[in-house]
Amino acid sequence: MKRSLTALTLALGLCAAASAQAQTTEITFWTWYLSPKFDPYIKDTIAAFEKANPTIKVKWFDKQASMVQDFVASVNLGNAPDVVNLNIDETAKAAQNGFLRPVDALTSPATLKATYYPQSLKNFTVNGKVYGYPWYGSLNEGVLLYNPDLLKQAGVSAPKNMTEMLNLVKTIKDKTGAYAWVPALKDPGGASFMGYFFSDGLAVYDAAGKAAFNSPAHVALLQRYVDLFKGGYLPEDALRKEAFQLATELYPQNKVAMIVGGPQALNRIKDTNPGLYAKTVVTTAPLGKAGVQTGTSMGLVIPTASKQAAAAAKFAAFFANNANQVAFAKIVPIIPTTSAAQNDPFFKTSSADPIAKATSLVGASGRFINPGFKTPGNSDDLYKNFSDNIEAALLGKKTAKAALDDTVTYWNANMSK
């Protein structure tokens, strides 16, 4: 009898184990450029999710330069990951191509609205549907950080707005030899200069949704940058490198006096020139005539091809919740996109340390993250055309007016919904 009971118990145990194993759901998660620096944070957050959800297991992969190509290939091959980290532009493109599930069909719209800033959700909305859980973000203007020695040598004070900034460019270069700052003139995959139009209150589209950024005011603003570039007052490398990368290379060498951007620039300065980092002054960013910030954020999306959409949505919502975004902000100066973050004590502390001060200035500013214009359909081609025409104007191959006229004509002929 005892042997029979033992055998029965063992059999029941094996059945239970097999049943538990059969009920386990495995999902795959792709991040973008986060490993190895943030491995502990990512792994700890995954472990916390799995502990709270023991029937869901997460396999994490970090993608880097090949992220977008790998994602598109995985969709075409039918083995797409379940949760993917994409930015606003790539989310819009993937949604327009039918690659993504609307997340407001997986998580209630009421919960999304209670968790995230309205603009954060709007950034990931395509044709009325939300396609991404807003994750960490950044502000293009963010803060102003500057080398006080160079500004003193030039005899100027920190600019309070972009009009003052543009007026200081020649003085700083002429008196110190350093560039005043590195504006975002051209980037390989976006249309960063378009943000200057938004900052000055100049519309990108008209009421009918057509490109309309070639008014006299748009032309005059571009012409201002063209004149400075031709005069040697803006670095030529700004046509070959992203502004953030170039600015964080030149500032530690005392070749740039100011950086307008997110607190993350300070990490690089601290690593490469600790002495300059220690005396760098951080203050509020100079804004354009509209008095608005521009910025971008990452999101977590669920591909249409995911076979575990419910589990994937549960994981994505957990990873992008307020507690986990604030925890991430304590490791690196990202800006949470959750509305509760604005009341977090972490962002209300005062400090003389540049990174801590910058974080306190912008960390609770997720509500201002806004690219400034809706991602157009066929954005890869349109952004390239825009960047090529901006470059042509800066190099004197076209007038500012011809460059913008040509771009608007191209956009309106090739923009898809």
Side-chain angles (χ1 to χ4, degrees):
M1 176 65 75
K2 184 177 180 181
R3 180 177 296 176
S4 297
L5 285 174
T6 301
L8 178 60
T9 301
L10 180 60
L12 289 172
L14 290 172
C15 289
S19 176
Q21 188 173 23
Q23 292 173 1
T24 298
T25 298
E26 182 177 277
I27 60 174
T28 52
F29 173 38
W30 286 11
T31 55
W32 201 354
Y33 276 115
L34 292 182
S35 181
K37 189 166 186 177
F38 303 111
D39 282 10
Y41 170 75
I42 300 292
K43 290 179 179 178
D44 287 350
T45 309
I46 290 173
F49 174 78
E50 289 180 336
K51 184 178 181 180
N53 300 273
T55 61
I56 303 176
K57 299 300 177 186
V58 181
K59 288 184 69 175
W60 169 48
F61 302 89
D62 187 67
K63 296 286 181 176
Q64 304 209 348
S66 63
M67 166 61 117
V68 174
Q69 295 90 332
D70 288 352
F71 174 58
V72 173
S74 73
V75 170
N76 290 331
L77 292 171
N79 60 356
D82 299 290
V83 180
V84 186
N85 167 197
L86 294 180
N87 60 27
I88 294 171
D89 276 346
E90 294 301 334
T91 297
K93 283 190 282 186
Q96 289 160 358
N97 287 323
F99 292 169
L100 304 182
R101 295 173 183 262
V103 302
D104 49 7
L106 297 166
T107 298
S108 75
T111 297
L112 293 174
K113 289 178 181 176
T115 305
Y116 303 102
Y117 294 110
Q119 184 60 47
S120 298
L121 291 172
K122 190 174 180 181
N123 292 337
F124 288 94
T125 298
V126 179
N127 295 329
K129 297 180 180 179
V130 182
Y131 282 91
Y133 296 89
W135 198 17
Y136 66 92
S138 63
L139 290 170
N140 293 335
E141 290 79 7
V143 295
L144 173 70
L145 56 97
Y146 64 89
N147 181 328
D149 294 343
L150 287 176
L151 263 59
K152 183 178 180 181
Q153 185 180 343
V156 301
S157 300
K160 294 182 176 60
N161 53 56
M162 283 305 294
T163 299
E164 289 186 9
M165 172 66 96
L166 290 168
N167 289 338
L168 293 178
V169 169
K170 289 184 179 180
T171 300
I172 290 176
K173 185 70 167 61
D174 288 343
K175 292 191 175 181
T176 71
Y179 295 107
W181 106 110
V182 181
L185 299 178
K186 182 183 176 183
D187 52 353
S192 52
F193 191 87
M194 198 77 80
Y196 294 126
F197 294 150
F198 176 70
S199 295
D200 262 14
L202 303 175
V204 171
Y205 304 107
D206 64 17
K210 292 187 175 181
F213 46 84
N214 58 341
S215 75
H218 291 85
V219 173
L221 182 60
L222 175 56
Q223 187 64 52
R224 191 77 192 275
Y225 285 85
V226 169
D227 292 341
L228 291 172
F229 187 84
K230 287 182 176 177
Y233 292 103
L234 302 177
E236 289 184 14
D237 277 348
L239 289 183
R240 292 182 284 274
K241 294 183 177 180
E242 289 184 83
F244 175 82
Q245 179 187 352
L246 183 57
T248 51
E249 287 176 6
L250 297 180
Y251 183 89
Q253 302 176 51
N254 294 307
K255 294 180 179 178
V256 163
M258 299 178 280
I259 293 179
V260 178
Q264 56 270 35
L266 288 159
N267 281 330
R268 296 194 181 188
I269 297 166
K270 187 177 183 179
D271 290 341
T272 53
N273 191 337
L276 179 56
Y277 169 81
K279 62 182 177 184
T280 291
V281 177
V282 177
T283 187
T284 54
L287 302 180
K289 294 174 183 175
V292 297
Q293 292 261 8
T294 59
T296 188
S297 79
M298 288 292 185
L300 296 177
V301 304
I302 314 296
T304 305
S306 170
K307 297 178 177 61
Q308 309 294 346
K314 194 170 190 178
F315 174 71
F318 176 85
F319 221 92
N321 70 21
N322 183 64
N324 287 323
Q325 289 206 42
V326 172
F328 200 16
K330 292 177 180 177
I331 300 170
V332 60
I334 58 97
I335 300 176
T337 53
T338 47
S339 53
Q342 62 190 322
N343 298 319
D344 195 284
F346 178 68
F347 299 119
K348 298 183 184 298
T349 56
S350 61
S351 172
D353 176 75
I355 290 178
K357 185 173 183 180
T359 299
S360 68
L361 282 171
V362 304
S365 302
R367 62 189 178 283
F368 298 125
I369 294 174
N370 183 350
F373 57 95
K374 178 184 172 186
T375 303
N378 193 24
S379 60
D380 285 346
D381 287 347
L382 301 191
Y383 287 166
K384 182 179 186 308
N385 178 269
F386 178 79
S387 289
D388 287 348
N389 273 297
I390 293 296
E391 179 175 326
L394 292 166
L395 294 177
K397 296 179 180 177
K398 290 184 179 181
T399 65
K401 184 176 188 309
L404 293 182
D405 284 347
D406 289 351
T407 310
V408 165
T409 299
Y410 185 87
W411 276 44
N412 286 330
N414 294 279
M415 184 164 47
S416 58
K417 292 183 179 178

